[in-house]
Amino acid sequence: MNISDSLPDENPSPEFLNQQLEPEQLRQPRLKVDAPLRMVETAFLASAASLIWFINFYFPLGPLLRIFFPVPIALVYLRWGKRAAWMAAVTSGLLLSVLMGPVRSLLFVMPFAFMGVLLGATWHRRVPWIVSITLGTLLGTLGVFFRLWLLSVLSGEDLWVYVINQVTEMIEWAFLRLQLLASPSIFLVQIGAVVLIVFNNLIYLFMVHLAAWLLLDRLGNPIPRPPQWVQVLMDYEG
């Protein structure tokens, strides 16, 4: 018997290796390449939302930047889902808390960060515009009252009285133009103030939807189609 025959083979065949190794050992670990991209995009869009609020606070450009307050967080929801959108909302709030203080950070988080999550959820589920605009209007109205309450507590003055005075002047001007001799009651003035706040948020949400429709289509994350009359008005082929 040759001694070399009793020694193990230094170059075993592939069939021998496949027989000796378990299937679990042959299976390569699968890398989740989307995890770093999700983290980077979430952080970037949260920073973008904070930066838009920061610039508009110190250098207001009218309603131009205000329209885009909730859009970056809504885009996070469309691209990466609910968890990433909430992370973006929290991250933007923490970043603004460092840059501008906790009070101004809260004024962004409620309602605009929450609105971004809400709009992202409705757009992801492809609900009609009337539903998402209505829900956003309710949240925006709550945000106005939250802002009035928070600033009233911090300033020690009731800012709702200031709103009532402004609405009273508007109603009195309308009565004067209509040549009505009656004076508006307190109840009518308060109802008018609430209606004015709701109407303002309704117009704002419509403009947000319009801007997101035109912008996110070009970014590859389209939102639900608007009503037909909006498409005809915009002369948009969608």
Side-chain angles (χ1 to χ4, degrees):
M1 180 178 177
N2 194 352
I3 299 177
S4 61
D5 296 336
S6 62
L7 295 177
D9 190 1
E10 295 181 357
N11 298 311
S13 62
E15 292 79 6
F16 177 78
L17 289 176
N18 292 334
Q19 293 175 359
Q20 295 297 321
L21 296 177
E22 296 294 333
E24 290 79 5
Q25 296 173 339
L26 292 173
R27 193 174 301 152
Q28 296 293 333
R30 185 177 180 179
L31 298 178
K32 296 182 178 180
V33 296
D34 59 337
L37 182 60
R38 179 173 62 248
M39 181 178 62
V40 171
E41 285 195 6
T42 301
F44 175 78
L45 291 172
S47 302
S50 303
L51 185 61
I52 293 172
W53 171 267
F54 183 84
I55 294 175
N56 186 79
F57 189 87
Y58 290 105
F59 307 99
L61 301 177
L64 179 61
L65 290 180
R66 183 182 173 86
I67 293 175
F68 295 98
F69 284 168
V71 173
I73 297 177
L75 180 58
V76 173
Y77 198 112
L78 291 176
R79 291 185 60 83
W80 301 110
K82 176 174 66 176
R83 184 175 181 273
W86 281 113
M87 290 293 293
V90 173
T91 302
S92 60
L94 293 176
L95 180 58
L96 287 174
S97 180
V98 173
L99 295 176
M100 307 175 66
V103 175
R104 293 170 182 172
S105 173
L106 286 175
L107 296 180
F108 171 78
V109 173
M110 179 63 186
F112 298 110
F114 292 159
M115 189 180 294
V117 179
L118 174 65
L119 293 180
T122 54
W123 293 343
H124 178 73
R125 290 168 174 78
R126 319 306 293 178
V127 301
W129 275 31
I130 185 63
V131 177
S132 55
I133 290 177
T134 302
L135 295 176
T137 300
L138 294 176
L139 181 58
T141 303
L142 291 176
V144 172
F145 286 108
F146 173 79
R147 173 177 298 186
L148 290 173
W149 169 80
L150 180 62
L151 295 179
S152 297
V153 170
L154 295 176
S155 63
E157 298 180 0
D158 190 1
L159 298 182
W160 179 247
V161 176
Y162 174 77
V163 176
I164 292 298
N165 292 334
Q166 297 295 318
V167 176
T168 302
E169 293 180 1
M170 294 176 59
I171 295 179
E172 288 179 348
W173 177 84
F175 278 19
L176 182 62
R177 299 294 294 180
L178 296 174
Q179 297 182 353
L180 298 176
L181 300 178
S183 59
S185 63
I186 298 298
F187 178 76
L188 178 62
V189 171
Q190 291 181 346
I191 294 297
V194 174
V195 170
L196 185 62
I197 291 173
V198 173
F199 180 74
N200 183 45
N201 281 278
L202 181 67
I203 298 300
Y204 172 72
L205 263 297
F206 177 77
M207 296 303 298
V208 169
H209 277 68
L210 196 61
W213 172 47
L214 298 176
L215 175 64
L216 299 185
D217 265 10
R218 289 158 176 78
L219 295 179
N221 297 98
I223 69 172
R225 300 297 88 186
Q228 186 63 34
W229 66 269
V230 178
Q231 300 188 40
V232 173
L233 185 65
M234 299 296 296
D235 192 19
Y236 184 85
E237 295 295 335

